[in-house]
Amino acid sequence: MANEATNIGTYVGEFGAKGNNIDDDSIAIQAAINYRSENGGGDVLLMSQHIINKSITIPSNIRLKGVMFTKIKSTNSSYLFGIPADADKVEIKGITFDYESLNSNIAILVNENVTNLNLNKLDFKNFIAGSAIQQNVIRLKTGIQGNISHLTFKNIKCTSNGITGDSGGAGRCIRTDSYGVKDLRNYSLNISNIHIEDCFSVDENGNFIIEDFDAFHFQHIGVSGTINVSNVTAKNFSKRLMKFEADGVNVTNVVAESEKYVPWLFAVMSKNINISTINIKGNIEKIVEFVDAKNVNINVVFVESNFEGIDIYSSLFTFYNSSNINISQVSGKGYGGFLFYGKITENIYIDKVNLILKAQILYIQDRDSPNTTYTDGRISNINFSEVFINVPTTVYSAPLLSLNGLGTVNPISQINFRDFKIVANQFYQYGLVRFKYASEITFDNLIIENKSDLTNPVLINADESSTVQIRGLKIMGKPTSKEILVSGTGDLLVTRSNIANAHLSGIRAKLELEKTPGLVSYLSGATSAQLTTS
């Protein structure tokens, strides 16, 4: 009968598996696993190919191993390999799952509180979930401890109708979740060397559509622990590479490229998330969207996006109702830069940025959308340092750096800039930088190099009850008669600066300059007393 020596292992052929790619080997493989489990555990050795159409349970102390990347086909719409709750020392290694069938779903289901898990050298190909079927190639319940490494997901599709939020299908390559778990425990899980390729939603005719497909979906709500993800490569994916709805995930070394449209690379909707060393290329709109996020660090990002946006929401980083965010060392090119909006967004620190953009550098608004307001919110303590932005050409018809409040809703305040340089060919006549209903705005060392083809564009416009202080302003490039425009009830104090031209309207501006500008105009009660030289 079967060899009982655990160091040699149990061969599934001894239990009737055919391995002929015709007969269903499910019963034979389960019998081999059960035998090995009843005899102290150890290796269960597969053949070169199998049809498996029934769910198989892999208990503690079992190492299921392929031979020369065993190939498995299945039409099973449930899970294929299931690891029961509280199992210990389970390994699945050296297998290619090549389904080539509709309604495929979970290849590996790891239930809660499994310890010493090892998933290694696994390939997943040609999974196609049917309409309104959720695709979860690997599903990981809470409390898992172990390692997942050297996995490839290729041509994983979810059939949807393109209507977001209608309970249709959703796709994931790797998903963590706490659904149905009563004994909630924290993770201690390492996931490394993962490749994602051609993974996205399609319609019933197989055409690419934008629907909920997240290559990684962290959804273990109610628990934390640590999940470390490293060395991820991705090519042609959508809608998101990673969605964080749960806490305690660290991601490092991601290389992502997509010809398919990617609305978000990362959607962060939780806390205690760290993401570092990211290289992005292709049709990618946003690097990170923060929604209700807290305590997040993003470090070392290079982006080369060819996405063409249409409005302010097409920004590399967007912040909604989020706080305690640190972003450092961002370089490359994209459409828009940074967008802040919605409810309480505060304590944001962004430094060491070097970007080439096609539209807005920064847009801060005190509402959810241009026509939607809310109450009891604030956007404050937003800090930028060591930032260089180049906008060589744009058709964006609005200020490139705009703090745009309504004045009757929620305050925009304490926005701070240090060592901030803008080189821009602006398309908007009335303010490359504009402030409206924003208070306690400070700049230390602001450099603006004007390359606009417009005639006498406004470079800095303080308007509508804004209070702005600029220490160390330097304006370069093409001359304009309206380097600074102060109008309405805006308060602007410029000190330690050397500018050529200014236009003051009203009595609330004060310029303390190193020398008198070549051209100064005064309207609406403004006088020369508002300008002094040192």
Side-chain angles (χ1 to χ4, degrees):
M1 190 58 183
N3 194 320
E4 295 185 22
T6 58
N7 61 336
I8 297 176
T10 296
Y11 180 54
V12 297
E14 299 178 69
F15 290 81
K18 302 296 184 183
N20 58 12
N21 209 28
I22 298 173
D23 296 298
D24 186 348
D25 289 329
S26 304
I27 294 175
I29 293 173
Q30 186 68 73
I33 291 172
N34 293 346
Y35 173 81
R36 189 71 272 159
S37 179
E38 293 165 0
N39 288 275
D43 294 347
V44 175
L45 307 177
L46 299 171
M47 303 169 77
S48 62
Q49 56 185 3
H50 291 288
I51 298 289
I52 303 176
N53 290 328
K54 296 180 178 65
S55 297
I56 290 175
T57 299
I58 306 175
S60 295
N61 301 311
I62 292 297
R63 298 184 295 270
L64 184 65
K65 295 184 177 182
V67 179
M68 299 296 292
F69 272 94
T70 294
K71 186 175 182 179
I72 292 177
K73 291 183 179 292
S74 178
T75 58
N76 187 16
S77 60
S78 184
Y79 67 85
L80 187 61
F81 293 145
I83 301 174
D86 302 306
D88 181 45
K89 297 178 182 176
V90 177
E91 178 178 327
I92 303 174
K93 182 178 181 180
I95 300 172
T96 295
F97 300 80
D98 193 347
Y99 277 20
E100 299 179 356
S101 64
L102 194 63
N103 292 327
S104 60
N105 193 3
I106 302 173
I108 300 175
L109 171 62
V110 185
N111 284 289
E112 61 268 25
N113 307 324
V114 171
T115 54
N116 294 300
L117 173 70
N118 184 19
L119 305 181
N120 187 24
K121 296 182 179 178
L122 304 175
D123 288 349
F124 303 89
K125 300 179 180 180
N126 306 315
F127 282 51
I128 305 174
S131 181
I133 300 294
Q134 288 201 4
Q135 176 75 273
N136 302 283
V137 179
I138 295 180
R139 188 170 182 179
L140 306 165
K141 293 294 187 176
T142 60
I144 296 171
Q145 300 178 20
N147 298 284
I148 299 173
S149 64
H150 296 92
L151 272 54
T152 296
F153 300 86
K154 189 172 183 179
N155 194 30
I156 311 298
K157 302 293 194 299
C158 185
T159 306
S160 304
N161 58 15
I163 303 175
T164 302
D166 70 337
S167 300
R172 296 100 166 184
C173 296
I174 296 177
R175 177 189 180 189
T176 67
D177 77 275
S178 55
Y179 181 78
V181 178
K182 295 181 179 180
D183 183 9
L184 294 170
R185 302 180 198 172
N186 290 337
Y187 288 88
S188 179
L189 186 61
N190 297 307
I191 302 173
S192 64
N193 298 296
I194 309 298
H195 179 69
I196 308 290
E197 186 170 351
D198 294 328
C199 297
F200 44 80
S201 292
V202 295
D203 63 18
E204 293 183 354
N205 296 316
N207 300 310
F208 167 73
I209 57 174
I210 301 299
E211 182 59 289
D212 281 337
F213 196 113
D214 305 294
F216 294 80
H217 190 178
F218 301 102
Q219 204 178 18
H220 48 277
I221 298 168
V223 300
S224 184
T226 301
I227 297 178
N228 298 314
V229 181
S230 62
N231 303 325
V232 176
T233 57
K235 185 176 181 180
N236 290 335
F237 58 93
S238 191
K239 180 177 183 179
R240 291 168 286 251
L241 181 62
M242 296 185 186
K243 183 177 181 181
F244 304 84
E245 289 188 286
D247 305 337
V249 182
N250 305 308
V251 177
T252 186
N253 293 330
V254 175
V255 178
E257 180 178 357
S258 186
E259 296 176 359
K260 303 295 184 185
Y261 167 53
V262 179
W264 306 278
L265 187 71
F266 303 113
V268 180
M269 309 163 74
S270 55
K271 64 180 184 293
N272 301 329
I273 305 297
N274 298 291
I275 300 172
S276 65
T277 316
I278 311 300
N279 193 308
I280 311 158
K281 184 178 181 180
N283 192 14
I284 297 172
E285 180 177 357
K286 294 178 177 68
I287 299 172
V288 186
E289 180 177 55
F290 300 95
V291 178
D292 304 324
K294 290 179 174 62
N295 304 326
V296 181
N297 297 300
I298 311 291
N299 188 41
V300 187
V301 178
F302 177 78
V303 57
E304 194 172 349
S305 171
N306 56 24
F307 172 79
E308 295 290 341
I310 57 174
D311 56 31
I312 62 171
Y313 296 101
S314 299
S315 297
L316 293 176
F317 296 91
T318 63
F319 303 80
Y320 177 84
N321 198 39
S322 296
S323 61
N324 301 324
I325 312 294
N326 296 285
I327 299 175
S328 182
Q329 300 183 63
V330 179
S331 62
K333 65 178 183 179
Y335 180 75
F338 301 87
L339 168 66
F340 295 81
Y341 67 109
K343 297 187 178 178
I344 298 175
T345 297
E346 61 186 358
N347 303 329
I348 312 295
Y349 299 87
I350 299 167
D351 75 337
K352 297 180 176 63
V353 175
N354 189 331
L355 288 171
I356 299 173
L357 301 176
K358 298 179 182 179
Q360 75 280 356
I361 297 165
L362 168 65
Y363 194 96
I364 298 179
Q365 64 178 26
D366 56 0
R367 49 207 183 277
D368 289 354
S369 64
N371 298 310
T372 303
T373 62
Y374 60 91
T375 58
D376 300 323
R378 63 182 176 274
I379 298 178
S380 66
N381 196 25
I382 312 297
N383 303 276
F384 289 84
S385 64
E386 298 183 50
V387 176
F388 172 59
I389 304 291
N390 185 4
V391 186
T393 182
T394 184
V395 293
Y396 183 71
S397 187
L400 293 178
L401 193 156
S402 178
L403 278 58
N404 184 19
L406 289 177
T408 57
V409 188
N410 304 291
I412 296 175
S413 65
Q414 300 177 40
I415 316 298
N416 306 301
F417 304 83
R418 181 175 60 84
D419 298 330
F420 201 101
K421 181 177 180 180
I422 302 170
V423 177
N425 181 357
Q426 72 186 88
F427 189 71
Y428 182 67
Q429 184 74 43
Y430 303 105
L432 186 152
V433 177
R434 189 170 187 179
F435 311 99
K436 183 178 179 182
Y437 293 111
S439 63
E440 299 179 68
I441 312 304
T442 63
F443 287 82
D444 281 286
N445 301 323
L446 171 63
I447 299 175
I448 297 176
E449 184 173 346
N450 174 40
K451 292 194 171 183
S452 177
D453 294 327
L454 298 173
T455 301
N456 294 325
V458 175
L459 300 185
I460 298 175
N461 189 348
D463 196 2
E464 302 293 348
S465 298
S466 293
T467 57
V468 182
Q469 182 174 1
I470 303 175
R471 295 183 291 265
L473 171 64
K474 183 177 182 180
I475 295 178
M476 307 164 58
K478 294 183 178 180
T480 171
S481 64
K482 295 181 179 180
E483 291 183 351
I484 296 178
L485 171 66
V486 182
S487 59
T489 57
D491 286 322
L492 175 66
L493 172 62
V494 178
T495 62
R496 304 198 317 266
S497 301
N498 186 348
I499 64 175
N501 305 301
H503 181 85
L504 306 182
S505 178
I507 62 174
R508 304 174 69 93
K510 186 177 181 181
L511 308 184
E512 298 176 4
L513 306 178
E514 293 179 355
K515 66 178 183 179
T516 303
L519 174 64
V520 183
S521 56
Y522 303 99
L523 294 174
S524 301
T527 68
S528 60
Q530 295 169 232
L531 190 155
T532 60
T533 57
S534 58

